[in-house]
Protein backbone atom coordinates (compact mmCIF):
# COMPACT_ATOMS: atom_id res chain seq x y z
CA UNK A 1 0.00 0.00 0.00
CA UNK A 2 1.06 3.59 -0.41
CA UNK A 3 2.31 5.59 2.59
CA UNK A 4 0.07 8.25 4.06
CA UNK A 5 1.04 11.87 3.66
CA UNK A 6 3.80 13.17 5.87
CA UNK A 7 1.72 16.02 7.25
CA UNK A 8 -1.70 15.97 8.86
CA UNK A 9 -2.68 18.99 6.80
CA UNK A 10 -2.08 17.19 3.50
CA UNK A 11 -3.92 14.13 4.77
CA UNK A 12 -6.87 16.24 5.87
CA UNK A 13 -7.07 17.93 2.46
CA UNK A 14 -6.98 14.55 0.74
CA UNK A 15 -9.71 13.14 2.96
CA UNK A 16 -11.85 16.26 2.44
CA UNK A 17 -11.52 15.95 -1.34
CA UNK A 18 -12.47 12.25 -1.28
CA UNK A 19 -15.47 13.02 0.97
CA UNK A 20 -16.60 15.84 -1.34
CA UNK A 21 -16.55 13.49 -4.33
CA UNK A 22 -18.42 10.81 -2.37
CA UNK A 23 -21.13 13.33 -1.48
CA UNK A 24 -21.53 14.17 -5.19
CA UNK A 25 -22.28 10.51 -5.92
CA UNK A 26 -25.99 9.85 -6.57
CA UNK A 27 -27.67 8.06 -3.68
CA UNK A 28 -25.03 8.95 -1.07
CA UNK A 29 -26.39 10.74 2.01
CA UNK A 30 -23.23 11.14 4.10
CA UNK A 31 -19.61 10.02 4.04
CA UNK A 32 -16.49 9.96 6.14
CA UNK A 33 -12.90 9.12 5.26
CA UNK A 34 -10.29 7.92 7.73
CA UNK A 35 -6.98 6.10 8.01
CA UNK A 36 -6.97 2.58 9.43
CA UNK A 37 -3.67 1.16 10.65
CA UNK A 38 -3.43 -2.57 9.98
CA UNK A 39 -1.73 -5.18 12.17
CA UNK A 40 1.17 -5.36 9.71
CA UNK A 41 1.78 -1.61 10.13
CA UNK A 42 0.32 -0.51 6.81
CA UNK A 43 -2.24 2.27 6.72
CA UNK A 44 -5.33 2.01 4.57
CA UNK A 45 -7.56 4.88 3.56
CA UNK A 46 -11.16 3.87 4.23
CA UNK A 47 -14.25 5.63 2.91
CA UNK A 48 -17.47 4.84 4.77
CA UNK A 49 -20.72 6.14 3.39
CA UNK A 50 -24.43 6.04 4.04
CA UNK A 51 -26.73 5.57 1.07
CA UNK A 52 -30.43 6.18 0.59
CA UNK A 53 -32.43 3.02 1.18
CA UNK A 54 -34.02 3.25 -2.26
CA UNK A 55 -30.66 3.58 -4.03
CA UNK A 56 -28.53 0.81 -5.46
CA UNK A 57 -25.22 2.25 -4.24
CA UNK A 58 -22.52 -0.41 -3.94
CA UNK A 59 -18.74 -0.32 -3.37
CA UNK A 60 -17.84 -1.24 -6.96
CA UNK A 61 -20.11 1.45 -8.39
CA UNK A 62 -18.68 4.07 -6.02
CA UNK A 63 -15.14 2.98 -6.89
CA UNK A 64 -15.96 3.36 -10.60
CA UNK A 65 -17.30 6.89 -10.04
CA UNK A 66 -14.29 7.91 -7.93
CA UNK A 67 -11.85 6.58 -10.54
CA UNK A 68 -13.37 9.02 -13.03
CA UNK A 69 -13.17 11.97 -10.64
CA UNK A 70 -9.98 11.55 -8.61
CA UNK A 71 -6.33 10.90 -9.42
CA UNK A 72 -5.36 7.30 -8.74
CA UNK A 73 -3.20 8.21 -5.72
CA UNK A 74 -6.27 9.71 -4.01
CA UNK A 75 -8.54 6.68 -4.29
CA UNK A 76 -9.51 5.04 -0.99
CA UNK A 77 -8.21 1.52 -0.38
CA UNK A 78 -11.55 0.34 0.98
CA UNK A 79 -15.15 1.53 0.53
CA UNK A 80 -17.79 0.57 3.09
CA UNK A 81 -21.53 1.10 2.80
CA UNK A 82 -23.21 1.49 6.20
CA UNK A 83 -26.89 1.55 7.11
CA UNK A 84 -28.62 4.74 8.21
CA UNK A 85 -28.39 5.46 11.91
CA UNK A 86 -25.60 5.37 14.44
CA UNK A 87 -22.27 4.12 13.21
CA UNK A 88 -19.95 2.31 15.59
CA UNK A 89 -16.35 3.26 14.74
CA UNK A 90 -14.99 -0.03 16.07
CA UNK A 91 -17.21 -2.03 13.74
CA UNK A 92 -16.02 0.07 10.79
CA UNK A 93 -12.41 -0.63 11.61
CA UNK A 94 -13.11 -4.35 11.91
CA UNK A 95 -14.81 -4.50 8.51
Amino acid sequence: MRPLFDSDRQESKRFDRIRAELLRTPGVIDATVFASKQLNGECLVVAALTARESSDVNPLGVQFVLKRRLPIHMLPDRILIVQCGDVDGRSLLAA
Side-chain angles (χ1 to χ4, degrees):
M1 299 296 134
R2 60 189 174 276
L4 291 179
F5 292 99
D6 54 5
S7 84
D8 291 340
R9 188 175 195 202
Q10 285 178 310
E11 184 176 300
S12 178
K13 283 183 179 182
R14 176 184 180 200
F15 290 0
D16 288 346
R17 171 94 185 272
I18 295 169
R19 182 175 186 271
E21 293 302 332
L22 287 167
L23 293 174
R24 288 182 52 211
T25 303
V28 173
I29 298 171
D30 197 8
T32 188
V33 180
F34 58 93
S36 173
K37 190 168 186 177
Q38 304 298 295
L39 292 175
N40 63 5
E42 291 181 318
C43 286
L44 299 180
V45 176
V46 179
L49 57 98
T50 304
R52 288 185 179 82
E53 287 184 32
S54 61
S55 70
D56 60 348
V57 174
N58 63 66
L60 290 176
V62 172
Q63 183 180 28
F64 177 77
V65 169
L66 291 180
K67 281 183 178 180
R68 295 176 56 209
R69 296 181 182 168
L70 294 170
I72 195 158
H73 69 275
M74 291 188 78
L75 295 173
D77 298 301
R78 183 175 290 166
I79 298 172
L80 304 174
I81 312 288
V82 296
Q83 300 298 321
C84 291
D86 294 334
V87 176
D88 177 11
R90 288 187 196 137
S91 64
L92 284 178
L93 291 175

